[in-house]
Amino acid sequence: MSTYPVRVEARLEEPLNRGLWIVKWFLAIPHYVVLSLLWIAFGVLTVVAFFAILFTGRYPRALFDFNLGVLRWTWRVAYYTYGALGTDRYPPFTLGAAPDYPATLEIDYPERLSRGLVLVKWWLLAIPHYLIVGLFTSGSIISWNNSLPDGGGVLYTLDWGGLIGLLVLIAALSLLFTGRYPHGVYDLVLGMNRWAFRVAAYATLMTDAYPPFRLEQGGHELPRLEPPPASAHTPARHGATSIVALATGAVLAFAGLATAATGTGAALLGQARDADGFISTGPQRVATSTYALTSEQITIAGQGVSFLRDGVGRVRISASGTRTPLFLGIARQDDVTAYLSNVTHERVTPEGIGGAYDRYPGAATPAPPSSQTFWAATGTSTLTWDVQPGKWTVVVMNANGTPAVAADLRVAATLPWLGGLTAGLFIATAVLLLAGTALILVGIRLATVPTSAPAHATPTR
């Protein structure tokens, strides 16, 4: 038997500073910034590797070495910070092995990978491990506060970092008060991290060996009883130029996927146009026992006029779902205020759509709305309006001016810019994907093989 092909090792560097852990989050910010970019690249290159494995049965060596470097870097930063707090030595900025650092990670390069297994191992087969690793690395405390004045409540969640986070907190407090890291806690933390990185390597297609369901505690792996598999390749070294090219290319490719998704959504939205060229929202139920429902004031001024005309286009409001003939109107705020000044009515607020509204009391009965001359646009079941500058209010009433108004409202607009946006997004997608792919290929070609290493040498740790 041989040990698992993903090897996570570390050594506890004592004595540790009692209080340095309090500021390690700040000290590690440069690493967090770099890793945020590297992990984007990691995700994109894993997708590239997926298709390479699917069609060739091989994980491209340059991509494998890059992604292995990202995992190494992540483990070193986690070990220095709140994944373990096992050292006060600042992590190096490198994708390389860094064997002198107290936290190391190695993965045997697989010469062949299963084409079929790549389709299911990262989601279906890994589910049991995801549940366990989720317990190790994340967890939430959920509470409900129902003490709001209106009787409502607020849901609060607190992420406590899972078992690893809890044990590292215990170790941190022990360091603070005693200056010692409990060795039992350390062994357990290392075992959980080892399990998590094994699952990460398996789920990101870097090995076909299923992670074992065992918690191998302590800083060192079980000794090998067999030598690691011989490799016909010397690991590629990614210099600064190669890393920048790969990371930039992956970010551009990721942006291309995002613009492709957005463009697809815009295209689907464009397909939803009706015969008159309008794109409509779904129905929203509004109802009141009073004489009228009004919207909040809509202010259109300055550059907003041309922006709304170019962006929104024509606006249409439709009402349905009632047997009582309805009146829809839009008018200037001052005219509506004067018309309903002593009339009981309600104003729909964004928070009150479909529920409670702001009520304005009154004792008068309104004149039929169709008899008023101040409306900028009116309709019985549909109102169409061209955007104009000013302060406006939308009014929904029964056509005969009686109380108890109810309707299903839809708001629609022509959105004249949508076609151009869709075309622009797809053009941007093509440019970003081509540029990203080109930079990834350049980054692969820039990865160098050390000339001093034998062709069949196995990298040491």
Side-chain angles (χ1 to χ4, degrees):
M1 294 180 58
S2 63
T3 55
Y4 192 69
V6 180
R7 295 175 299 287
V8 179
E9 297 192 346
R11 62 180 183 274
L12 183 62
E13 289 198 325
E14 295 181 306
L16 294 167
N17 187 287
R18 288 178 177 236
L20 186 61
W21 62 269
I22 298 174
V23 296
K24 282 185 175 180
W25 65 270
F26 178 76
L27 300 177
I29 286 176
H31 282 285
Y32 294 150
V33 173
V34 175
L35 281 173
S36 65
L37 298 176
L38 291 178
W39 271 99
I40 293 175
F42 184 98
V44 173
L45 297 181
T46 299
V47 174
V48 175
F50 170 88
F51 289 102
I53 297 168
L54 184 63
F55 292 110
T56 70
R58 295 177 62 87
Y59 199 124
R61 186 59 188 257
L63 302 189
F64 182 91
D65 291 336
F66 181 90
N67 283 353
L68 172 57
V70 176
L71 290 177
R72 285 169 173 161
W73 197 324
T74 302
W75 171 227
R76 289 192 294 258
V77 174
Y79 191 71
Y80 171 76
T81 58
Y82 307 106
L85 291 179
T87 183
D88 288 340
R89 195 191 309 184
Y90 200 69
F93 286 84
T94 178
L95 295 174
D100 59 330
Y101 195 74
T104 61
L105 185 151
E106 291 294 338
I107 304 175
D108 293 336
Y109 176 70
E111 293 294 339
R112 302 293 298 179
L113 289 167
S114 170
R115 298 185 186 185
L117 201 57
V118 74
L119 297 171
V120 294
K121 66 180 182 180
W122 53 274
W123 65 277
L124 179 62
L125 301 183
I127 287 176
H129 281 287
Y130 290 155
L131 298 176
I132 297 172
V133 171
L135 180 64
F136 290 167
T137 60
S138 64
S140 297
I141 298 174
I142 302 175
S143 64
W144 176 262
N145 183 347
N146 59 356
S147 60
L148 296 183
D150 60 358
V154 178
L155 185 67
Y156 294 97
T157 61
L158 174 64
D159 189 349
W160 50 274
L163 291 177
I164 292 177
L166 181 60
L167 291 173
V168 170
L169 176 61
I170 293 172
L173 294 176
S174 177
L175 280 173
L176 182 64
F177 292 108
T178 71
R180 296 185 59 193
Y181 197 126
H183 287 192
V185 172
Y186 175 81
D187 290 343
L188 191 54
V189 166
L190 263 292
M192 292 181 181
N193 274 292
R194 182 173 290 117
W195 195 318
F197 276 99
R198 286 175 173 177
V199 173
Y202 179 78
T204 55
L205 317 178
M206 301 181 77
T207 181
D208 279 347
Y210 196 71
F213 284 93
R214 63 173 182 261
L215 187 64
E216 295 179 13
Q217 301 184 49
H220 298 288
E221 294 269 358
L222 296 175
R224 282 188 177 277
L225 300 181
E226 293 179 1
S231 173
H233 302 278
T234 300
R237 289 181 180 174
H238 292 274
T241 307
S242 174
I243 293 173
V244 170
L246 283 169
T248 304
V251 170
L252 291 178
F254 181 80
L257 295 176
T259 56
T262 306
T264 301
L268 293 175
L269 184 62
Q271 294 298 316
R273 292 184 187 275
D274 60 18
D276 296 323
F278 284 88
I279 299 173
S280 177
T281 66
Q284 176 63 57
R285 186 70 175 178
V286 295
T288 179
S289 60
T290 65
Y291 287 96
L293 276 171
T294 68
S295 69
E296 289 192 306
Q297 177 179 289
I298 304 169
T299 302
I300 303 173
Q303 296 297 322
V305 178
S306 58
F307 175 78
L308 287 175
R309 285 176 177 169
D310 296 338
V312 176
R314 303 191 73 195
V315 176
R316 185 180 69 191
I317 302 173
S318 304
S320 61
T322 177
R323 296 181 180 179
T324 304
L326 291 175
F327 172 87
L328 300 175
I330 185 168
R332 296 189 181 275
Q333 173 70 46
D334 293 342
D335 293 330
V336 174
T337 300
Y339 173 53
L340 299 175
S341 60
N342 195 31
V343 176
T344 302
H345 66 281
E346 290 185 329
R347 184 183 67 179
V348 180
T349 63
E351 297 81 8
I353 291 178
Y357 311 127
D358 292 336
R359 178 179 285 262
Y360 295 85
T365 300
S370 58
S371 66
Q372 307 303 307
T373 59
F374 54 76
W375 303 108
T378 62
T380 52
S381 59
T382 301
L383 175 156
T384 303
W385 180 58
D386 292 315
V387 175
Q388 299 294 328
K391 298 178 180 179
W392 305 92
T393 299
V394 178
V395 179
V396 182
M397 299 178 66
N398 290 326
N400 56 9
T402 57
V405 181
D408 292 324
L409 296 182
R410 289 180 173 85
V411 179
T414 54
L415 305 182
W417 48 266
L418 189 59
L421 175 66
T422 303
L425 286 170
F426 283 126
I427 292 173
T429 296
V431 172
L432 289 169
L433 288 179
L434 287 173
T437 301
L439 282 173
I440 289 173
L441 293 175
V442 169
I444 292 173
R445 292 182 63 87
L446 289 175
T448 59
V449 176
T451 56
S452 59
H456 295 274
T458 300
T460 58
R461 297 186 300 281

